[in-house]
Amino acid sequence: MNQLYSISEILSDYKIIEALNHGKRLMLWDMETIMPMAGIEERSEVLSNLETYQKKLYMNLNEKLDRLHDENIDNDFSKAVVRILKKQIHYYSSIPDEIHREFIKVTTISEDIWKIARKRNNFKMFEPYLEKIVDLERKIADYLGYEKHPYDALIDIFEEGFTVDDGDKIFNYIKMESKGLVERAIERGYGKNSGLNYERYRKEWLINIFRELQNKFDISDKRFRIDESVHPFTINISPDDVRITTRFEGIDFKKSLFATIHEMGHAIYLLNINREFGCTPLYSSASYGFDESQSRFFENFIGKSREFTEFIYPVLKKNIPLMKKYDSDDIYYYFNSVGRTPVRIDADELTYNIHIAIRYEIEKNLMENKYEVKELPEIWNSMMENYLGIKPRNFKEGILQDIHWSQGSFGYFPTYTLGNIIAAIIKYKIAEMDKHIRNGNFIPIIRFLNEKIHIYGSLYEPKELLKKSFNESYNPEYLIKYFNEKYI
Ligand code: MG
């Protein structure tokens, strides 16, 4: 008779996979923050060897997962363990080794090539690599399998269960409802060019402000730290060791302030997942969209509100000497300047999702073989003109602006907009949010997020969690309602 296994045996095996994850995350953090530059070569090698070893461990687990006691999988926790492990195993087992290796090799090189091509404003240089990546992404989609659209297979890697059917509806709605919003917001005074954009600041001033926010957000020093890196990020080494990074440009302090608030939003999520999920596959956010909803909720829906400006103005005045020249209204418009820019990361709330809609449409059509890579610069520019009314002046602020494609992250972009959509849903479900923010009392807000989202980790698929906690789907109407209420 075949031996049968229990969930606890599976979880006991998983502890080794998690130990490797712990080590990998610490290495990634180190790479981005303090590692001496020359360490990169050996580090990349070590990481890829760990990945190979992990894959073996997953495949071993697979045999046990196929022989589970039935009575073990009749509760949400066990179902989630099986679901999450099976998803990872499906990824490993359906993509042939040589394709996986080629993908890693091509994306490693192409990221470097992209950096140079971008600097030199030369698309032709990046084109053959992007062609190779698109070709591999198509193959990977086929290997992973899909019901309706090849792009579904890729999106599912980042947002379980989300499909092109969902995406088409959402992006068409947002594109339509966004028409004219910017012009009207500018008429309402949101187009001002604040003098604060050009004010220099000292790092220490912001560090004091970050400390104050950390206290207000109830983030304990015992489980959290902030360091510096070129691109700010959040990483959960373990449930009691969550780290963020930020950066200081020395001018225009809102950039550093909002990057930090954004990452704090991610950290608050990871610090509040059910502690019992530690060392299990459930110890992660529900999806990339959910993860991004928390950072954007703090950055935009809290951080860029009138009420937050009122709360933070005295804090800014206490720490930034030049703030005496400005009042709280100046700060509000400085935080919320609206205008059309060709660059996604500089975009305001109103146009940000249009930038994503363009990338979504391009990725989708590439997967359908409707576009060819060599046509992309032209397609990109005409979409920018059609949807945003601006034409990029060069590749650098056009098709070459994002790192994602060079890393082979097709299917990732839509999750940014899903984050905004979920954040808007949350805004309209929290009682007395404005009052709490004005009083600098963030605890009731964070408690709500804990109960509705954080605690669950990845116990439920994102669509299921939206339904369960908010009785909603990825409904973009809240986001458009928020835009209209705030800007118009
Ligand atoms: Mg983020």
Side-chain angles (χ1 to χ4, degrees):
M1 203 181 99
N2 275 338
Q3 194 191 340
L4 292 176
Y5 296 94
S6 67
I7 284 289
S8 52
E9 281 168 284
I10 300 282
L11 289 176
S12 152
D13 285 4
Y14 182 78
K15 284 197 171 130
I16 307 297
I17 293 180
E18 178 50 27
L20 294 172
N21 277 334
H22 186 119
K24 273 161 73 182
R25 290 190 293 251
L26 190 54
M27 285 182 216
L28 289 171
W29 173 84
D30 173 70
M31 266 166 83
E32 300 292 329
T33 51
I34 55 175
M35 186 180 80
M37 222 170 62
I40 185 73
E41 211 167 308
E42 183 87 6
R43 180 63 54 84
S44 308
E45 171 92 25
V46 167
L47 282 168
S48 108
N49 288 335
L50 284 178
E51 168 81 16
T52 310
Y53 183 51
Q54 258 185 333
K55 183 177 166 179
K56 273 188 201 139
L57 295 176
Y58 270 108
M59 297 319 291
N60 291 343
L61 262 185
N62 196 25
E63 289 168 26
K64 293 189 180 177
L65 280 168
D66 287 336
R67 281 187 275 147
L68 275 179
H69 287 289
D70 284 347
E71 67 265 30
N72 270 300
I73 44 171
D74 62 357
N75 62 74
D76 286 357
F77 176 81
S78 304
K79 275 184 207 153
V81 170
V82 174
R83 181 189 102 239
I84 297 162
L85 292 177
K86 280 279 183 191
K87 189 179 178 213
Q88 187 61 47
I89 290 162
H90 174 71
Y91 185 87
Y92 282 138
S93 60
S94 34
I95 300 167
D97 273 344
E98 66 274 15
I99 296 286
H100 188 65
R101 266 199 303 272
E102 203 184 339
F103 185 72
I104 303 279
K105 204 172 119 194
V106 172
T107 49
T108 309
I109 302 168
S110 71
E111 197 182 317
D112 284 341
I113 300 288
W114 168 78
K115 280 179 193 156
I116 303 166
R118 183 168 177 260
K119 204 179 265 170
R120 297 192 188 157
N121 192 34
N122 183 343
F123 180 74
K124 276 278 163 239
M125 192 180 163
F126 182 53
E127 194 185 292
Y129 294 88
L130 187 56
E131 258 167 14
K132 190 77 213 155
I133 289 169
V134 168
D135 180 54
L136 283 166
E137 296 274 8
R138 273 190 200 131
K139 284 184 180 144
I140 287 172
D142 285 339
Y143 285 120
L144 288 172
Y146 51 86
E147 267 175 43
K148 277 185 159 169
H149 199 288
Y151 191 31
D152 291 348
L154 301 179
I155 303 176
D156 188 76
I157 297 171
F158 305 100
E159 197 75 7
E160 207 174 350
F162 191 81
T163 64
V164 164
D165 281 348
D166 303 317
D168 283 352
K169 268 185 238 143
I170 287 172
F171 287 110
N172 286 336
Y173 177 79
I174 290 180
K175 273 188 292 190
M176 202 159 73
E177 295 295 325
S178 299
K179 277 182 192 145
L181 276 183
V182 171
E183 286 68 26
R184 281 146 77 199
I186 289 171
E187 277 167 28
R188 291 275 320 276
Y190 284 94
K192 288 176 204 162
N193 185 8
S194 168
L196 280 158
N197 287 319
Y198 312 99
E199 297 277 16
R200 303 199 66 84
Y201 64 83
R202 277 203 219 130
K203 193 163 126 181
E204 303 77 57
W205 301 347
L206 288 197
I207 290 175
N208 288 334
I209 295 167
F210 297 164
R211 205 165 289 134
E212 202 143 329
L213 285 175
Q214 192 192 324
N215 285 334
K216 282 283 178 188
F217 294 162
D218 197 27
I219 305 174
S220 159
D221 265 337
K222 288 186 186 144
R223 308 171 65 210
F224 172 83
R225 57 177 289 132
I226 307 183
D227 295 273
E228 284 179 57
S229 69
V230 180
H231 302 286
F233 66 95
T234 302
I235 198 159
N236 53 330
I237 311 288
S238 74
D240 289 316
D241 178 359
V242 175
R243 306 176 187 197
I244 69 167
T245 64
T246 190
R247 64 174 182 192
F248 302 97
E249 291 91 351
I251 189 164
D252 188 8
F253 76 86
K254 72 169 179 306
K255 285 189 177 165
S256 177
L257 176 68
F258 285 111
T260 308
I261 295 177
H262 178 102
E263 301 307 332
M264 281 180 175
H266 281 304
I268 291 166
Y269 192 167
L270 296 166
L271 285 164
N272 287 295
I273 295 173
N274 187 344
R275 196 59 183 75
E276 285 167 25
F277 295 169
C279 251
T280 79
L282 277 68
Y283 186 75
S284 80
S285 42
S287 67
Y288 280 71
F290 261 99
D291 211 39
E292 199 63 10
S293 77
Q294 297 308 284
S295 52
R296 280 161 195 262
F297 184 72
F298 276 87
E299 178 187 356
N300 294 331
F301 293 79
I302 293 181
K304 291 179 182 164
S305 64
R306 273 273 179 206
E307 295 75 22
F308 189 79
T309 319
E310 287 167 33
F311 151 73
I312 204 163
Y313 180 59
V315 180
L316 297 178
K317 250 191 356 197
K318 192 172 78 190
N319 292 290
I320 305 182
L322 57 90
M323 203 49 62
K324 288 186 208 77
K325 291 192 279 176
Y326 301 92
D327 62 22
S328 138
D329 209 46
D330 295 329
I331 302 294
Y332 177 73
Y333 287 104
Y334 165 56
F335 286 174
N336 285 290
S337 166
V338 157
R340 297 179 187 283
T341 158
V343 180
R344 176 183 60 88
I345 58 165
D346 296 333
D348 55 61
E349 288 183 282
L350 294 175
T351 51
Y352 189 90
N353 302 295
I354 307 298
H355 289 268
I356 301 301
I358 291 170
R359 288 149 177 82
Y360 168 82
E361 207 169 317
I362 291 178
E363 290 187 355
K364 187 182 86 171
N365 283 307
L366 281 170
M367 288 306 112
E368 279 176 45
N369 291 312
K370 276 194 189 152
Y371 293 165
E372 280 184 64
V373 167
K374 63 170 188 284
E375 312 167 317
L376 288 186
E378 217 169 293
I379 292 170
W380 181 285
N381 288 352
S382 73
M383 282 189 185
M384 287 297 289
E385 269 199 287
N386 283 342
Y387 300 158
L388 273 173
I390 35 174
K391 202 172 175 174
R393 286 167 301 182
N394 49 47
F395 296 127
K396 222 167 143 174
E397 58 172 45
I399 186 114
L400 287 179
Q401 65 180 278
D402 294 309
I403 197 169
H404 303 57
W405 289 344
S406 78
Q407 295 172 325
S409 297
F410 276 66
Y412 188 107
F413 280 123
T415 67
Y416 290 129
T417 288
L418 299 184
N420 290 330
I421 289 172
I422 299 168
I425 293 174
I426 296 164
K427 178 192 157 63
Y428 288 102
K429 303 281 180 183
I430 298 185
E432 299 190 299
M433 177 160 135
D434 297 350
K435 189 186 91 185
H436 294 315
I437 298 176
R438 190 178 291 117
N439 297 335
N441 179 16
F442 300 97
I443 304 299
I445 297 173
I446 292 169
R447 203 177 297 136
F448 177 90
L449 299 171
N450 288 169
E451 282 167 18
K452 296 286 184 185
I453 298 172
H454 304 162
I455 187 93
Y456 294 110
S458 42
L459 185 61
Y460 302 111
E461 286 189 40
K463 278 182 180 172
E464 223 179 324
L465 183 56
L466 270 172
K467 185 86 193 140
K468 190 180 160 61
S469 290
F470 305 109
N471 198 25
E472 268 303 343
S473 58
Y474 295 98
N475 180 353
E477 287 168 23
Y478 295 88
L479 184 61
I480 298 299
K481 179 175 148 100
Y482 160 71
F483 289 159
N484 278 297
E485 285 179 5
K486 177 170 173 179
Y487 292 96
I488 307 301

PDB file of all heavy atoms in Angstrom, residues 291-314:
ATOM      1  N   ASP A 291      -0.690  43.550  -2.467  1.00  0.00           N
ATOM      2  CA  ASP A 291       0.514  44.117  -1.875  1.00  0.00           C
ATOM      3  C   ASP A 291       0.631  45.598  -2.226  1.00  0.00           C
ATOM      4  O   ASP A 291       0.855  46.454  -1.375  1.00  0.00           O
ATOM      5  CB  ASP A 291       1.732  43.361  -2.428  1.00  0.00           C
ATOM      6  CG  ASP A 291       2.854  43.305  -1.420  1.00  0.00           C
ATOM      7  OD1 ASP A 291       2.556  43.132  -0.226  1.00  0.00           O
ATOM      8  OD2 ASP A 291       4.013  43.452  -1.825  1.00  0.00           O
ATOM      9  N   GLU A 292       0.427  45.880  -3.505  1.00  0.00           N
ATOM     10  CA  GLU A 292       0.541  47.252  -3.987  1.00  0.00           C
ATOM     11  C   GLU A 292      -0.631  48.110  -3.478  1.00  0.00           C
ATOM     12  O   GLU A 292      -0.495  49.320  -3.343  1.00  0.00           O
ATOM     13  CB  GLU A 292       0.606  47.236  -5.519  1.00  0.00           C
ATOM     14  CG  GLU A 292       1.170  48.487  -6.155  1.00  0.00           C
ATOM     15  CD  GLU A 292       2.635  48.795  -5.811  1.00  0.00           C
ATOM     16  OE1 GLU A 292       3.327  47.936  -5.210  1.00  0.00           O
ATOM     17  OE2 GLU A 292       3.076  49.905  -6.109  1.00  0.00           O
ATOM     18  N   SER A 293      -1.753  47.492  -3.178  1.00  0.00           N
ATOM     19  CA  SER A 293      -2.882  48.273  -2.664  1.00  0.00           C
ATOM     20  C   SER A 293      -2.517  48.904  -1.321  1.00  0.00           C
ATOM     21  O   SER A 293      -2.930  50.020  -1.019  1.00  0.00           O
ATOM     22  CB  SER A 293      -4.134  47.402  -2.498  1.00  0.00           C
ATOM     23  OG  SER A 293      -4.061  46.596  -1.341  1.00  0.00           O
ATOM     24  N   GLN A 294      -1.734  48.200  -0.520  1.00  0.00           N
ATOM     25  CA  GLN A 294      -1.397  48.720   0.798  1.00  0.00           C
ATOM     26  C   GLN A 294      -0.409  49.874   0.712  1.00  0.00           C
ATOM     27  O   GLN A 294      -0.546  50.889   1.394  1.00  0.00           O
ATOM     28  CB  GLN A 294      -0.828  47.593   1.673  1.00  0.00           C
ATOM     29  CG  GLN A 294      -1.823  46.485   1.917  1.00  0.00           C
ATOM     30  CD  GLN A 294      -3.143  47.023   2.441  1.00  0.00           C
ATOM     31  OE1 GLN A 294      -3.270  47.393   3.601  1.00  0.00           O
ATOM     32  NE2 GLN A 294      -4.148  47.087   1.578  1.00  0.00           N
ATOM     33  N   SER A 295       0.587  49.745  -0.166  1.00  0.00           N
ATOM     34  CA  SER A 295       1.558  50.836  -0.309  1.00  0.00           C
ATOM     35  C   SER A 295       0.890  52.061  -0.900  1.00  0.00           C
ATOM     36  O   SER A 295       1.113  53.192  -0.472  1.00  0.00           O
ATOM     37  CB  SER A 295       2.730  50.381  -1.172  1.00  0.00           C
ATOM     38  OG  SER A 295       2.266  49.840  -2.385  1.00  0.00           O
ATOM     39  N   ARG A 296       0.035  51.862  -1.892  1.00  0.00           N
ATOM     40  CA  ARG A 296      -0.623  52.997  -2.542  1.00  0.00           C
ATOM     41  C   ARG A 296      -1.701  53.605  -1.658  1.00  0.00           C
ATOM     42  O   ARG A 296      -1.990  54.787  -1.743  1.00  0.00           O
ATOM     43  CB  ARG A 296      -1.198  52.568  -3.899  1.00  0.00           C
ATOM     44  CG  ARG A 296      -0.099  52.531  -4.925  1.00  0.00           C
ATOM     45  CD  ARG A 296      -0.425  51.729  -6.136  1.00  0.00           C
ATOM     46  NE  ARG A 296       0.817  51.498  -6.845  1.00  0.00           N
ATOM     47  CZ  ARG A 296       1.220  52.229  -7.892  1.00  0.00           C
ATOM     48  NH1 ARG A 296       0.465  53.166  -8.377  1.00  0.00           N
ATOM     49  NH2 ARG A 296       2.382  51.977  -8.452  1.00  0.00           N
ATOM     50  N   PHE A 297      -2.314  52.782  -0.844  1.00  0.00           N
ATOM     51  CA  PHE A 297      -3.285  53.321   0.096  1.00  0.00           C
ATOM     52  C   PHE A 297      -2.599  54.328   1.028  1.00  0.00           C
ATOM     53  O   PHE A 297      -3.089  55.436   1.230  1.00  0.00           O
ATOM     54  CB  PHE A 297      -3.930  52.183   0.905  1.00  0.00           C
ATOM     55  CG  PHE A 297      -5.008  52.653   1.814  1.00  0.00           C
ATOM     56  CD1 PHE A 297      -6.229  53.059   1.308  1.00  0.00           C
ATOM     57  CD2 PHE A 297      -4.805  52.715   3.183  1.00  0.00           C
ATOM     58  CE1 PHE A 297      -7.236  53.519   2.149  1.00  0.00           C
ATOM     59  CE2 PHE A 297      -5.804  53.172   4.034  1.00  0.00           C
ATOM     60  CZ  PHE A 297      -7.018  53.576   3.509  1.00  0.00           C
ATOM     61  N   PHE A 298      -1.457  53.946   1.554  1.00  0.00           N
ATOM     62  CA  PHE A 298      -0.734  54.859   2.447  1.00  0.00           C
ATOM     63  C   PHE A 298      -0.157  56.050   1.686  1.00  0.00           C
ATOM     64  O   PHE A 298      -0.246  57.187   2.127  1.00  0.00           O
ATOM     65  CB  PHE A 298       0.368  54.110   3.213  1.00  0.00           C
ATOM     66  CG  PHE A 298      -0.168  53.426   4.432  1.00  0.00           C
ATOM     67  CD1 PHE A 298      -0.696  52.144   4.353  1.00  0.00           C
ATOM     68  CD2 PHE A 298      -0.200  54.079   5.656  1.00  0.00           C
ATOM     69  CE1 PHE A 298      -1.233  51.523   5.470  1.00  0.00           C
ATOM     70  CE2 PHE A 298      -0.732  53.467   6.785  1.00  0.00           C
ATOM     71  CZ  PHE A 298      -1.250  52.183   6.687  1.00  0.00           C
ATOM     72  N   GLU A 299       0.425  55.782   0.534  1.00  0.00           N
ATOM     73  CA  GLU A 299       1.074  56.854  -0.228  1.00  0.00           C
ATOM     74  C   GLU A 299       0.052  57.880  -0.737  1.00  0.00           C
ATOM     75  O   GLU A 299       0.233  59.089  -0.538  1.00  0.00           O
ATOM     76  CB  GLU A 299       1.831  56.245  -1.415  1.00  0.00           C
ATOM     77  CG  GLU A 299       2.513  57.274  -2.297  1.00  0.00           C
ATOM     78  CD  GLU A 299       3.108  56.664  -3.562  1.00  0.00           C
ATOM     79  OE1 GLU A 299       3.055  55.424  -3.718  1.00  0.00           O
ATOM     80  OE2 GLU A 299       3.623  57.426  -4.395  1.00  0.00           O
ATOM     81  N   ASN A 300      -0.999  57.402  -1.400  1.00  0.00           N
ATOM     82  CA  ASN A 300      -1.919  58.310  -2.082  1.00  0.00           C
ATOM     83  C   ASN A 300      -3.186  58.622  -1.288  1.00  0.00           C
ATOM     84  O   ASN A 300      -3.520  59.778  -1.080  1.00  0.00           O
ATOM     85  CB  ASN A 300      -2.327  57.733  -3.441  1.00  0.00           C
ATOM     86  CG  ASN A 300      -1.138  57.662  -4.388  1.00  0.00           C
ATOM     87  OD1 ASN A 300      -0.203  58.468  -4.289  1.00  0.00           O
ATOM     88  ND2 ASN A 300      -1.145  56.697  -5.287  1.00  0.00           N
ATOM     89  N   PHE A 301      -3.878  57.578  -0.889  1.00  0.00           N
ATOM     90  CA  PHE A 301      -5.204  57.792  -0.287  1.00  0.00           C
ATOM     91  C   PHE A 301      -5.089  58.399   1.106  1.00  0.00           C
ATOM     92  O   PHE A 301      -5.942  59.174   1.517  1.00  0.00           O
ATOM     93  CB  PHE A 301      -6.007  56.486  -0.288  1.00  0.00           C
ATOM     94  CG  PHE A 301      -6.353  56.041  -1.675  1.00  0.00           C
ATOM     95  CD1 PHE A 301      -5.417  55.406  -2.474  1.00  0.00           C
ATOM     96  CD2 PHE A 301      -7.602  56.298  -2.213  1.00  0.00           C
ATOM     97  CE1 PHE A 301      -5.726  55.012  -3.773  1.00  0.00           C
ATOM     98  CE2 PHE A 301      -7.930  55.911  -3.511  1.00  0.00           C
ATOM     99  CZ  PHE A 301      -6.983  55.265  -4.285  1.00  0.00           C
ATOM    100  N   ILE A 302      -4.045  58.047   1.837  1.00  0.00           N
ATOM    101  CA  ILE A 302      -3.777  58.728   3.102  1.00  0.00           C
ATOM    102  C   ILE A 302      -2.848  59.919   2.847  1.00  0.00           C
ATOM    103  O   ILE A 302      -3.199  61.065   3.100  1.00  0.00           O
ATOM    104  CB  ILE A 302      -3.136  57.764   4.136  1.00  0.00           C
ATOM    105  CG1 ILE A 302      -4.142  56.687   4.550  1.00  0.00           C
ATOM    106  CG2 ILE A 302      -2.633  58.543   5.352  1.00  0.00           C
ATOM    107  CD1 ILE A 302      -3.630  55.696   5.581  1.00  0.00           C
ATOM    108  N   GLY A 303      -1.658  59.632   2.318  1.00  0.00           N
ATOM    109  CA  GLY A 303      -0.577  60.626   2.272  1.00  0.00           C
ATOM    110  C   GLY A 303      -0.874  61.871   1.454  1.00  0.00           C
ATOM    111  O   GLY A 303      -0.337  62.935   1.732  1.00  0.00           O
ATOM    112  N   LYS A 304      -1.694  61.738   0.423  1.00  0.00           N
ATOM    113  CA  LYS A 304      -1.951  62.900  -0.431  1.00  0.00           C
ATOM    114  C   LYS A 304      -3.328  63.518  -0.192  1.00  0.00           C
ATOM    115  O   LYS A 304      -3.820  64.291  -1.009  1.00  0.00           O
ATOM    116  CB  LYS A 304      -1.741  62.524  -1.903  1.00  0.00           C
ATOM    117  CG  LYS A 304      -0.258  62.266  -2.171  1.00  0.00           C
ATOM    118  CD  LYS A 304       0.049  61.871  -3.578  1.00  0.00           C
ATOM    119  CE  LYS A 304       1.553  61.592  -3.702  1.00  0.00           C
ATOM    120  NZ  LYS A 304       1.874  60.849  -4.914  1.00  0.00           N
ATOM    121  N   SER A 305      -3.921  63.160   0.944  1.00  0.00           N
ATOM    122  CA  SER A 305      -5.233  63.743   1.262  1.00  0.00           C
ATOM    123  C   SER A 305      -5.054  65.099   1.941  1.00  0.00           C
ATOM    124  O   SER A 305      -4.001  65.394   2.505  1.00  0.00           O
ATOM    125  CB  SER A 305      -6.011  62.802   2.183  1.00  0.00           C
ATOM    126  OG  SER A 305      -5.344  62.675   3.434  1.00  0.00           O
ATOM    127  N   ARG A 306      -6.091  65.923   1.882  1.00  0.00           N
ATOM    128  CA  ARG A 306      -6.146  67.199   2.609  1.00  0.00           C
ATOM    129  C   ARG A 306      -5.833  66.990   4.086  1.00  0.00           C
ATOM    130  O   ARG A 306      -5.086  67.736   4.701  1.00  0.00           O
ATOM    131  CB  ARG A 306      -7.570  67.754   2.549  1.00  0.00           C
ATOM    132  CG  ARG A 306      -7.864  68.575   1.368  1.00  0.00           C
ATOM    133  CD  ARG A 306      -7.482  70.025   1.579  1.00  0.00           C
ATOM    134  NE  ARG A 306      -7.786  70.738   0.352  1.00  0.00           N
ATOM    135  CZ  ARG A 306      -7.198  71.830  -0.059  1.00  0.00           C
ATOM    136  NH1 ARG A 306      -6.235  72.371   0.673  1.00  0.00           N
ATOM    137  NH2 ARG A 306      -7.527  72.396  -1.187  1.00  0.00           N
ATOM    138  N   GLU A 307      -6.496  65.960   4.628  1.00  0.00           N
ATOM    139  CA  GLU A 307      -6.416  65.723   6.069  1.00  0.00           C
ATOM    140  C   GLU A 307      -4.992  65.373   6.489  1.00  0.00           C
ATOM    141  O   GLU A 307      -4.528  65.799   7.535  1.00  0.00           O
ATOM    142  CB  GLU A 307      -7.379  64.589   6.470  1.00  0.00           C
ATOM    143  CG  GLU A 307      -8.848  64.911   6.258  1.00  0.00           C
ATOM    144  CD  GLU A 307      -9.284  64.855   4.775  1.00  0.00           C
ATOM    145  OE1 GLU A 307      -8.599  64.191   3.969  1.00  0.00           O
ATOM    146  OE2 GLU A 307     -10.311  65.487   4.443  1.00  0.00           O
ATOM    147  N   PHE A 308      -4.311  64.619   5.642  1.00  0.00           N
ATOM    148  CA  PHE A 308      -2.931  64.258   5.975  1.00  0.00           C
ATOM    149  C   PHE A 308      -2.047  65.503   5.942  1.00  0.00           C
ATOM    150  O   PHE A 308      -1.156  65.656   6.774  1.00  0.00           O
ATOM    151  CB  PHE A 308      -2.399  63.196   5.008  1.00  0.00           C
ATOM    152  CG  PHE A 308      -1.058  62.622   5.419  1.00  0.00           C
ATOM    153  CD1 PHE A 308      -0.976  61.654   6.411  1.00  0.00           C
ATOM    154  CD2 PHE A 308       0.121  63.060   4.819  1.00  0.00           C
ATOM    155  CE1 PHE A 308       0.252  61.123   6.797  1.00  0.00           C
ATOM    156  CE2 PHE A 308       1.358  62.528   5.196  1.00  0.00           C
ATOM    157  CZ  PHE A 308       1.413  61.562   6.186  1.00  0.00           C
ATOM    158  N   THR A 309      -2.309  66.369   4.977  1.00  0.00           N
ATOM    159  CA  THR A 309      -1.534  67.614   4.911  1.00  0.00           C
ATOM    160  C   THR A 309      -1.700  68.392   6.210  1.00  0.00           C
ATOM    161  O   THR A 309      -0.742  68.931   6.758  1.00  0.00           O
ATOM    162  CB  THR A 309      -2.040  68.498   3.749  1.00  0.00           C
ATOM    163  OG1 THR A 309      -2.307  67.680   2.634  1.00  0.00           O
ATOM    164  CG2 THR A 309      -1.019  69.531   3.380  1.00  0.00           C
ATOM    165  N   GLU A 310      -2.957  68.447   6.697  1.00  0.00           N
ATOM    166  CA  GLU A 310      -3.208  69.164   7.956  1.00  0.00           C
ATOM    167  C   GLU A 310      -2.467  68.510   9.117  1.00  0.00           C
ATOM    168  O   GLU A 310      -1.892  69.188   9.956  1.00  0.00           O
ATOM    169  CB  GLU A 310      -4.710  69.201   8.255  1.00  0.00           C
ATOM    170  CG  GLU A 310      -5.457  70.168   7.340  1.00  0.00           C
ATOM    171  CD  GLU A 310      -6.965  69.973   7.409  1.00  0.00           C
ATOM    172  OE1 GLU A 310      -7.490  69.614   8.487  1.00  0.00           O
ATOM    173  OE2 GLU A 310      -7.620  70.158   6.359  1.00  0.00           O
ATOM    174  N   PHE A 311      -2.476  67.181   9.132  1.00  0.00           N
ATOM    175  CA  PHE A 311      -1.777  66.470  10.198  1.00  0.00           C
ATOM    176  C   PHE A 311      -0.262  66.684  10.120  1.00  0.00           C
ATOM    177  O   PHE A 311       0.408  66.947  11.120  1.00  0.00           O
ATOM    178  CB  PHE A 311      -2.094  64.962  10.148  1.00  0.00           C
ATOM    179  CG  PHE A 311      -0.982  64.090  10.669  1.00  0.00           C
ATOM    180  CD1 PHE A 311      -0.723  64.024  12.042  1.00  0.00           C
ATOM    181  CD2 PHE A 311      -0.169  63.374   9.796  1.00  0.00           C
ATOM    182  CE1 PHE A 311       0.327  63.239  12.521  1.00  0.00           C
ATOM    183  CE2 PHE A 311       0.883  62.596  10.265  1.00  0.00           C
ATOM    184  CZ  PHE A 311       1.129  62.532  11.636  1.00  0.00           C
ATOM    185  N   ILE A 312       0.290  66.591   8.898  1.00  0.00           N
ATOM    186  CA  ILE A 312       1.758  66.557   8.801  1.00  0.00           C
ATOM    187  C   ILE A 312       2.398  67.951   8.754  1.00  0.00           C
ATOM    188  O   ILE A 312       3.589  68.102   9.017  1.00  0.00           O
ATOM    189  CB  ILE A 312       2.233  65.687   7.605  1.00  0.00           C
ATOM    190  CG1 ILE A 312       3.654  65.191   7.881  1.00  0.00           C
ATOM    191  CG2 ILE A 312       2.133  66.439   6.277  1.00  0.00           C
ATOM    192  CD1 ILE A 312       4.118  64.044   7.055  1.00  0.00           C
ATOM    193  N   TYR A 313       1.589  68.957   8.466  1.00  0.00           N
ATOM    194  CA  TYR A 313       2.166  70.296   8.338  1.00  0.00           C
ATOM    195  C   TYR A 313       2.979  70.721   9.579  1.00  0.00           C
ATOM    196  O   TYR A 313       4.124  71.143   9.445  1.00  0.00           O
ATOM    197  CB  TYR A 313       1.072  71.313   8.000  1.00  0.00           C
ATOM    198  CG  TYR A 313       1.597  72.713   7.843  1.00  0.00           C
ATOM    199  CD1 TYR A 313       2.571  73.005   6.883  1.00  0.00           C
ATOM    200  CD2 TYR A 313       1.156  73.749   8.672  1.00  0.00           C
ATOM    201  CE1 TYR A 313       3.071  74.294   6.747  1.00  0.00           C
ATOM    202  CE2 TYR A 313       1.656  75.041   8.536  1.00  0.00           C
ATOM    203  CZ  TYR A 313       2.612  75.303   7.575  1.00  0.00           C
ATOM    204  OH  TYR A 313       3.112  76.566   7.446  1.00  0.00           O
ATOM    205  N   PRO A 314       2.418  70.580  10.791  1.00  0.00           N
ATOM    206  CA  PRO A 314       3.222  70.934  11.975  1.00  0.00           C
ATOM    207  C   PRO A 314       4.485  70.073  12.119  1.00  0.00           C
ATOM    208  O   PRO A 314       5.517  70.555  12.579  1.00  0.00           O
ATOM    209  CB  PRO A 314       2.279  70.678  13.159  1.00  0.00           C
ATOM    210  CG  PRO A 314       0.932  70.436  12.596  1.00  0.00           C
ATOM    211  CD  PRO A 314       1.056  70.157  11.143  1.00  0.00           C
TER     212      PRO A 314
END
